[in-house]
Amino acid sequence: MKPIDLRSDTVTQPSPAMREAILNADVGDDFFGDDPTVKRLEAMAAERMGKEAAVLVVSGTMGNLASLLTHCKPGDSFIVGSEAHIVHHELWSQVGLGQVNMIQVDNDARGRIDPDAVRILLEGNPDSGSRITAVCMENTHNRCGGAAITASETAALAKVAHDAGTAFHLDGARIFNAALALETTPAELAADTDSITFCLSKGLSGPVGSVICGSGDFIQGARRSRSILGGQMREAGIIAAAGIVGLEEMVDRLADDHANARVLAQGLATIPGIRILPETVDSNIVIFDVEGYTPEAFRQRCKEKGVLVTGVLPHVRMVTHYGIEREDIDEALERTREAALSLL
Ligand SMILES: *Cc1c(COP(=O)(O)O)cnc(C)c1O
């Protein structure tokens, strides 16, 4: 039985076109500015995000870290939503390595943070001590069910940040999913940001890489931060080539992932013990609760039945992606139903 892997869109394999592009990529030492493929990817990424410049990094985590190290000096603080990937998975990077302080503001169930709560914190920004120098947002929101946050909600938060003279960073790991869900463009969603990072290695199916986009000055700073983190690149056209194919060929097909996620959510809602509101699924992430058995028992039993899922405890998460077809969703639902029934 072939397992149906719904753990994450990070499990996507590079497409045949990507493998071919990798094989044929023109490469050079990126530190010396000799890699034309990296330059092309960075120019494309900046253009898609409506920014002046961009820099390739190895991961979304490095993208967020290099961005915030550029916005914040050691000892500075930044504000971030309580359910953010930055809080749950990058705390040690930001606080431990970056020596910056993280101030959390409660997320609502859709991943949004209240601009007024942020304004109050910024009004109290001390003249001495740890100054708040950045505000962060995430779109789509990973832990909040892949919710897409609109351009006007983003603008409202950005305004509060900018009114206080503070930078605004967007963790747009899945910004193309957000743009698709909202029928807009990534540039529209990034319009009010000083920096945005997005992943080439998730729904866009690249093997490695994320890109930071922003003003020319900011990206120069981010390049320095990247160097400090040991992230300087050499013949990185090898991975940039796949990223270019991702941007050119893998964005439109995200619509299939979103459609599959909705079918998945609707099917899950009919399974005993699973609680989910299918209408809350905006993109390719499906998060739900289980009742009558624990998330871990459910995950294990699903695995035995050939469906791989992850816990976003206390919830369970399934993610649709390149390589998962509609038939796989039907089959995954059948196997998941068997798993759930066997636990009750
Ligand atoms: C995956 C993810 C990241 C980190 O990306 P990596 O490439 O895994 O380091 C950051 N933010 C969000 C919202 C993510 O989903």
Side-chain angles (χ1 to χ4, degrees):
M1 182 179 49
K2 183 174 146 275
I4 300 170
D5 194 344
L6 303 176
R7 287 173 301 171
S8 177
D9 46 10
T10 57
V11 304
T12 40
Q13 296 275 318
S15 68
M18 283 179 182
R19 290 173 191 270
E20 179 140 347
I22 289 167
L23 193 64
N24 295 315
D26 262 337
V27 300
D29 190 314
D30 181 54
F31 174 71
F32 292 113
D34 289 351
D35 196 305
T37 311
V38 170
K39 285 185 177 163
R40 189 163 155 238
L41 170 70
E42 289 174 344
M44 275 177 80
E47 197 246 310
R48 296 289 177 99
M49 299 300 141
K51 301 295 182 201
E52 267 171 32
V55 57
L56 174 66
V57 290
V58 296
S59 66
T61 301
M62 186 183 276
N64 285 330
L65 184 54
S67 295
L68 286 161
L69 288 184
T70 310
H71 291 309
C72 308
K73 295 189 305 295
D76 287 345
S77 301
F78 67 84
I79 293 175
V80 61
S82 53
E83 290 302 317
H85 191 282
I86 287 176
V87 171
H88 287 266
H89 304 281
E90 302 170 33
L91 185 113
W92 181 240
S93 311
Q94 300 285 354
V95 176
L97 296 177
Q99 302 187 346
V100 293
N101 180 38
M102 209 183 262
I103 301 174
Q104 294 179 40
V105 173
D106 282 345
N107 274 130
D108 71 9
R110 308 272 303 146
R112 293 167 299 204
I113 45 184
D114 178 8
D116 286 331
V118 174
R119 180 181 295 116
I120 289 166
L121 285 171
L122 289 172
E123 275 172 9
N125 211 1
D127 290 331
S128 58
S130 183
R131 283 191 67 74
I132 302 167
T133 55
V135 175
C136 300
M137 203 191 95
E138 181 173 319
N139 201 12
T140 59
H141 203 294
N142 188 347
R143 292 178 66 89
C144 293
I149 298 171
T150 65
S152 63
E153 288 165 331
T154 307
L157 193 59
K159 183 171 188 314
V160 167
H162 291 150
D163 283 352
T166 303
F168 186 62
H169 172 71
L170 179 58
D171 177 357
R174 295 186 180 83
I175 196 67
F176 287 99
N177 296 88
L180 175 69
L182 297 164
E183 297 178 355
T184 181
T185 60
E188 197 67 37
L189 295 176
D192 297 296
T193 66
D194 299 298
S195 52
I196 173 171
T197 59
F198 72 88
C199 289
L200 298 166
S201 57
K202 292 185 173 170
L204 302 188
S205 313
V208 184
S210 283
V211 188
I212 310 172
C213 305
S215 70
D217 278 353
F218 173 79
I219 292 300
Q220 251 190 344
R223 282 184 191 281
R224 272 195 298 275
S225 302
R226 183 186 68 164
S227 294
I228 290 168
L229 297 172
Q232 215 153 69
M233 301 278 192
R234 302 301 177 186
E235 287 73 37
I238 296 289
I239 58 177
I244 290 169
V245 175
L247 287 175
E248 283 178 339
E249 297 182 8
M250 305 303 274
V251 172
D252 290 345
R253 64 151 305 287
L254 295 174
D256 298 343
D257 299 343
H258 291 200
N260 283 339
R262 275 191 294 275
V263 171
L264 181 63
Q266 282 156 2
L268 288 170
T270 69
I271 295 177
I274 292 182
R275 283 195 295 128
I276 179 168
L277 296 172
E279 61 274 19
T280 62
V281 173
D282 281 352
S283 62
N284 67 327
I285 296 177
V286 180
I287 290 186
F288 53 94
D289 289 309
V290 294
E291 239 171 29
Y293 38 86
T294 67
E296 182 52 22
F298 177 74
R299 190 188 68 77
Q300 272 299 341
R301 190 59 56 89
C302 282
K303 189 174 174 190
E304 287 160 24
K305 299 279 181 191
V307 180
L308 305 183
V309 309
T310 48
V312 180
L313 298 174
H315 317 293
V316 180
R317 188 182 79 161
M318 294 183 175
V319 183
T320 57
H321 53 79
Y322 174 61
I324 296 291
E325 306 296 335
R326 180 59 57 85
E327 310 83 81
D328 299 314
I329 298 293
D330 296 339
E331 178 66 24
L333 282 167
E334 223 162 280
R335 294 181 190 177
T336 304
R337 181 181 300 277
E338 281 174 28
L341 290 174
S342 73
L343 288 167
L344 286 170

